[in-house]
Amino acid sequence: MSHSLALMPLLVATWQTLYMVFIASVLGIVGGLVLGVVLYNTQTGGLWAHRAWHQVLGFITNVGRSVPFIILMIAILPFTRFVVGTSIGINAAIVPLVIAAIPYFARIVESALGEVPFGIREAALAMGATQWQIITKFLLPEALPALIRGSTLLIVGLIGYSAMAGAVGGGGLGELAINYGYERFDALVMLETVVILVLIVQWVQTYGDRLAKRPRLKRLAIVAIIFALLCVVSQAWPKGEQAHTIRVGIMGGAEENIMQVAKRVAWDRYHVHLQLITFDDYVLPNTALNNGNLDANIFQHVPYLDTQIKARHYKLVPIAKTFIYPLGFYSKKYTSLSALPEGAVVAIPNDPSNEGRALLLLQQSGLIKMKPGVGLLGTPASVILNPYHLHFVAMNAAQIPRALKDVAMGALTNDFVGPAGYTVNQALLKEGSHSPYANVIVVRAQDQHKPIFKALIAAMHSKPVLEKTQALFPDGAAIAAWY
Amino acid sequence: MITLNNINKTYTVAGTAYPALTGMSFTVEAGEIFGIIGKSGAGKSTLVRCLNGLEKITSGDVQIDGQSIVGLSDSALRQTRRSIGMIFQHFNLLSSRTAFDNIALPLELVGKNQQAIAARVNDLLRLVELEGLGGSYPHELSGGQKQRVAIARALATEPNVLLCDEATSALDPETTVSILNLLKKINQTLGITVVLITHEMDVVKQVCHRVAVLDQGRLAELGKVVDVFIRPQSDVAKRLTQASLHLELPDSIKSKLHAEKAGHPIVRLAFVGASAEVPVTTLLHDRFSVTCNILQADLQVIDGDSVGFMVCELQGTQEQSDAALAHLQAQGINVEVLAYVS
């Protein structure tokens, strides 16, 4: 399932990565310098020795460094929204990058300053230097090679973190690699993005090492200013017709191809611009829509939407159905349900949309019984009757195709049926066309009667979209739900 | 110029008090080269740092040029420090700056303009005999050259005191001599008071006018260098001067020595100035019939003066030897009976 990426998306993704990493690095270095200098000087024997402050700041710094980045990103969404006005997009991705960068670089600064020989500080004091002069004219210049090497470490680290920017629709090379390479099993794309990332990292490291030996900062400053101007221009560039734009949240993966067709149809027939924003999880697209950062999203079915609305009090409504993507159970070892041995291991998705759905399907077949009323929120813990002692393992939906060799059977959503090498007909058990799990177009309740959405609905129900979907999901893997 | 009045310095670590300096009082005269000597741990480095406030004393008073530096505000202390230069054992030059920029640094700190700085730095480079090396980085210079840059830097703000903390301890003997000569030259031409910390008596011998001997945080002895060499009072001073004088007796003789007053005395004679004119051996033989058996001899240059030392066995009767020694002392020769040999 490999097809080479067109050059344009690759270039765009590269620019996005450079943009994010550049801004986050600059802010991280500046913030880290300040925090690092303070940390260094509040320690015993420092210029502003103050044990309590040193411990408090040290604790905060450690907390900043302890939180895994992906969790940090999600945890500070309200803060991100406060700072850049939205919780999604490339600028939103920069906020957690900076929050992660500052404590990391602060420790590097603290360590670099600590390596400056004590005698230098004595000489500075003996010369009658003020505290500010000691830092700026003695310590920082002497620590400069170590600071440059530390900056190189920071930048390379941020390149790695920026790969997770996809979780907030941030774009970049990492997101490309995950969406195409991992989710869509496109090895060539994975390779292309990895090669570019390796080249970028190599260049950063080489340039950083050379600069550490001979700190000529003037040229670097000029290049940095030019790049910063480019960033500002890229954000301020007028983005064509804004009036008839709908920001649509979708899943990264196969849906993107279908939505590209819908986008073309929407523009050609209705002059409406669909701005597609991709996500990697199932919670953020609704949060973003509810907060006004999106105008619509298309990725979930009604039972899931209902549980989310109930739990988080969203004011969202479905306005049209799109496709039913039947969930099914597939096996490399057995050809029918009755062949399953006692104690068989069954793989199910671990995401909130499909975990309960898979278990309910099994309940339908009579193999297990769930606690009444638990519905879509079911987990293996909600199974009350399990006569065959099936052992459930919940994992990332994209991992199940790769795990089929190791389990008796696994649940696959439509995205993964093809990559796993199956057609829907080969399922041991699958949902039928009367399934309540049709995907829907969802908007904010207050917007539901806006005329512009008619264009979106029409585009989604158009023949080109139908044909594309059935080409990507043949043999009943996608069923049109609007008839 | 510098007056210490009963200063005490105690370090407190985890509740335990470690006295570093106890009851230290002395005065350094303006324009002299004052040495402070002692073993490692005697408190020399602590003492010199009390002179410019790098270490704060626990009690007592330190006065520089009539003004007490104890209890000065931070900005007043900084101001005072600009009239006190300091050089260190490991030079403490900034590796990120050239020699020129290192010397310029104290002037930058007080906001002098570029021209004034350039003029002064070039003068200083000439003074320390490093013309042409201004553009070199410290890692390109030898130890002696680095210390010269450090000296130039310390003199940049025209201080009237120069503190030297083991300034030659990291240099080879030849370079040490050249640096000490430079310090002497600076003291003589610019009249700067120099306080020199060292653990080597050879250094004190070469340049200092007076020396204070420290032992475990206390002042053991203080005096002109010549006097301390010829007539050391304290054990510490005796040990230190002995190490510097090449008067060690061979083991074959040492094994025969005893303190009991029986047999021939082994004496150490020291001659300074006019007393060096006295023809000792002939005098002892002709007038007192005492044969002077020379065991060791040494000629030292102390503070520019020649001082001669002689260790000899006086072979004669006890009365003759006593009379001879009394006469030598009357001539201004310093006599010390070390031991006796049968």
PDB file of all heavy atoms in Angstrom, chain B residues 10-25:
ATOM      1  N   THR B  10      35.893  32.399  61.731  1.00  0.00           N
ATOM      2  CA  THR B  10      35.470  31.042  62.065  1.00  0.00           C
ATOM      3  C   THR B  10      34.492  30.546  61.014  1.00  0.00           C
ATOM      4  O   THR B  10      33.538  31.239  60.676  1.00  0.00           O
ATOM      5  CB  THR B  10      34.769  31.015  63.438  1.00  0.00           C
ATOM      6  OG1 THR B  10      35.596  31.706  64.368  1.00  0.00           O
ATOM      7  CG2 THR B  10      34.546  29.610  63.911  1.00  0.00           C
ATOM      8  N   TYR B  11      34.717  29.369  60.481  1.00  0.00           N
ATOM      9  CA  TYR B  11      33.757  28.746  59.578  1.00  0.00           C
ATOM     10  C   TYR B  11      32.849  27.851  60.397  1.00  0.00           C
ATOM     11  O   TYR B  11      33.318  27.113  61.266  1.00  0.00           O
ATOM     12  CB  TYR B  11      34.472  27.861  58.537  1.00  0.00           C
ATOM     13  CG  TYR B  11      35.249  28.628  57.518  1.00  0.00           C
ATOM     14  CD1 TYR B  11      36.640  28.662  57.564  1.00  0.00           C
ATOM     15  CD2 TYR B  11      34.604  29.310  56.494  1.00  0.00           C
ATOM     16  CE1 TYR B  11      37.354  29.352  56.606  1.00  0.00           C
ATOM     17  CE2 TYR B  11      35.321  29.998  55.543  1.00  0.00           C
ATOM     18  CZ  TYR B  11      36.699  30.027  55.615  1.00  0.00           C
ATOM     19  OH  TYR B  11      37.411  30.712  54.676  1.00  0.00           O
ATOM     20  N   THR B  12      31.558  27.917  60.135  1.00  0.00           N
ATOM     21  CA  THR B  12      30.638  27.023  60.833  1.00  0.00           C
ATOM     22  C   THR B  12      30.017  26.076  59.816  1.00  0.00           C
ATOM     23  O   THR B  12      29.319  26.501  58.904  1.00  0.00           O
ATOM     24  CB  THR B  12      29.511  27.814  61.525  1.00  0.00           C
ATOM     25  OG1 THR B  12      30.115  28.882  62.252  1.00  0.00           O
ATOM     26  CG2 THR B  12      28.744  26.936  62.477  1.00  0.00           C
ATOM     27  N   VAL B  13      30.318  24.786  59.954  1.00  0.00           N
ATOM     28  CA  VAL B  13      29.761  23.799  59.030  1.00  0.00           C
ATOM     29  C   VAL B  13      28.948  22.810  59.834  1.00  0.00           C
ATOM     30  O   VAL B  13      29.472  22.144  60.717  1.00  0.00           O
ATOM     31  CB  VAL B  13      30.891  23.040  58.277  1.00  0.00           C
ATOM     32  CG1 VAL B  13      30.300  21.985  57.379  1.00  0.00           C
ATOM     33  CG2 VAL B  13      31.723  24.015  57.481  1.00  0.00           C
ATOM     34  N   ALA B  14      27.677  22.741  59.511  1.00  0.00           N
ATOM     35  CA  ALA B  14      26.765  21.810  60.187  1.00  0.00           C
ATOM     36  C   ALA B  14      26.898  21.888  61.696  1.00  0.00           C
ATOM     37  O   ALA B  14      27.036  20.886  62.380  1.00  0.00           O
ATOM     38  CB  ALA B  14      27.015  20.382  59.703  1.00  0.00           C
ATOM     39  N   GLY B  15      26.910  23.109  62.220  1.00  0.00           N
ATOM     40  CA  GLY B  15      26.913  23.280  63.661  1.00  0.00           C
ATOM     41  C   GLY B  15      28.284  23.240  64.318  1.00  0.00           C
ATOM     42  O   GLY B  15      28.425  23.620  65.472  1.00  0.00           O
ATOM     43  N   THR B  16      29.312  22.787  63.585  1.00  0.00           N
ATOM     44  CA  THR B  16      30.648  22.746  64.189  1.00  0.00           C
ATOM     45  C   THR B  16      31.445  23.960  63.746  1.00  0.00           C
ATOM     46  O   THR B  16      31.424  24.330  62.574  1.00  0.00           O
ATOM     47  CB  THR B  16      31.409  21.482  63.735  1.00  0.00           C
ATOM     48  OG1 THR B  16      30.502  20.394  63.716  1.00  0.00           O
ATOM     49  CG2 THR B  16      32.568  21.177  64.666  1.00  0.00           C
ATOM     50  N   ALA B  17      32.169  24.567  64.708  1.00  0.00           N
ATOM     51  CA  ALA B  17      32.940  25.761  64.391  1.00  0.00           C
ATOM     52  C   ALA B  17      34.380  25.391  64.065  1.00  0.00           C
ATOM     53  O   ALA B  17      35.018  24.635  64.792  1.00  0.00           O
ATOM     54  CB  ALA B  17      32.904  26.720  65.578  1.00  0.00           C
ATOM     55  N   TYR B  18      34.885  25.894  62.965  1.00  0.00           N
ATOM     56  CA  TYR B  18      36.281  25.666  62.581  1.00  0.00           C
ATOM     57  C   TYR B  18      36.990  27.004  62.551  1.00  0.00           C
ATOM     58  O   TYR B  18      36.789  27.801  61.635  1.00  0.00           O
ATOM     59  CB  TYR B  18      36.361  25.023  61.184  1.00  0.00           C
ATOM     60  CG  TYR B  18      35.719  23.673  61.104  1.00  0.00           C
ATOM     61  CD1 TYR B  18      34.387  23.547  60.716  1.00  0.00           C
ATOM     62  CD2 TYR B  18      36.427  22.516  61.427  1.00  0.00           C
ATOM     63  CE1 TYR B  18      33.792  22.308  60.654  1.00  0.00           C
ATOM     64  CE2 TYR B  18      35.826  21.277  61.368  1.00  0.00           C
ATOM     65  CZ  TYR B  18      34.513  21.175  60.979  1.00  0.00           C
ATOM     66  OH  TYR B  18      33.903  19.951  60.922  1.00  0.00           O
ATOM     67  N   PRO B  19      37.844  27.279  63.562  1.00  0.00           N
ATOM     68  CA  PRO B  19      38.518  28.582  63.549  1.00  0.00           C
ATOM     69  C   PRO B  19      39.620  28.610  62.503  1.00  0.00           C
ATOM     70  O   PRO B  19      40.528  27.796  62.550  1.00  0.00           O
ATOM     71  CB  PRO B  19      39.098  28.677  64.972  1.00  0.00           C
ATOM     72  CG  PRO B  19      39.197  27.270  65.450  1.00  0.00           C
ATOM     73  CD  PRO B  19      38.200  26.447  64.707  1.00  0.00           C
ATOM     74  N   ALA B  20      39.516  29.536  61.576  1.00  0.00           N
ATOM     75  CA  ALA B  20      40.531  29.628  60.531  1.00  0.00           C
ATOM     76  C   ALA B  20      41.608  30.644  60.898  1.00  0.00           C
ATOM     77  O   ALA B  20      42.780  30.453  60.605  1.00  0.00           O
ATOM     78  CB  ALA B  20      39.882  30.006  59.210  1.00  0.00           C
ATOM     79  N   LEU B  21      41.184  31.765  61.515  1.00  0.00           N
ATOM     80  CA  LEU B  21      42.129  32.792  61.933  1.00  0.00           C
ATOM     81  C   LEU B  21      41.800  33.192  63.368  1.00  0.00           C
ATOM     82  O   LEU B  21      40.631  33.362  63.708  1.00  0.00           O
ATOM     83  CB  LEU B  21      42.026  34.031  61.040  1.00  0.00           C
ATOM     84  CG  LEU B  21      42.326  33.827  59.558  1.00  0.00           C
ATOM     85  CD1 LEU B  21      41.977  35.084  58.776  1.00  0.00           C
ATOM     86  CD2 LEU B  21      43.797  33.493  59.348  1.00  0.00           C
ATOM     87  N   THR B  22      42.826  33.340  64.194  1.00  0.00           N
ATOM     88  CA  THR B  22      42.588  33.692  65.604  1.00  0.00           C
ATOM     89  C   THR B  22      43.482  34.847  66.018  1.00  0.00           C
ATOM     90  O   THR B  22      44.705  34.772  65.907  1.00  0.00           O
ATOM     91  CB  THR B  22      42.892  32.477  66.510  1.00  0.00           C
ATOM     92  OG1 THR B  22      42.237  31.335  65.972  1.00  0.00           O
ATOM     93  CG2 THR B  22      42.391  32.729  67.920  1.00  0.00           C
ATOM     94  N   GLY B  23      42.853  35.913  66.507  1.00  0.00           N
ATOM     95  CA  GLY B  23      43.578  37.024  67.111  1.00  0.00           C
ATOM     96  C   GLY B  23      44.701  37.607  66.258  1.00  0.00           C
ATOM     97  O   GLY B  23      45.773  37.913  66.750  1.00  0.00           O
ATOM     98  N   MET B  24      44.452  37.770  64.960  1.00  0.00           N
ATOM     99  CA  MET B  24      45.502  38.236  64.035  1.00  0.00           C
ATOM    100  C   MET B  24      45.575  39.761  64.052  1.00  0.00           C
ATOM    101  O   MET B  24      44.581  40.433  63.806  1.00  0.00           O
ATOM    102  CB  MET B  24      45.161  37.737  62.634  1.00  0.00           C
ATOM    103  CG  MET B  24      46.259  37.846  61.661  1.00  0.00           C
ATOM    104  SD  MET B  24      47.414  36.481  61.755  1.00  0.00           S
ATOM    105  CE  MET B  24      46.363  35.123  61.397  1.00  0.00           C
ATOM    106  N   SER B  25      46.732  40.300  64.366  1.00  0.00           N
ATOM    107  CA  SER B  25      46.917  41.751  64.319  1.00  0.00           C
ATOM    108  C   SER B  25      48.281  42.060  63.737  1.00  0.00           C
ATOM    109  O   SER B  25      49.293  41.551  64.216  1.00  0.00           O
ATOM    110  CB  SER B  25      46.861  42.354  65.730  1.00  0.00           C
ATOM    111  OG  SER B  25      45.616  42.140  66.325  1.00  0.00           O
TER     112      SER B  25
END
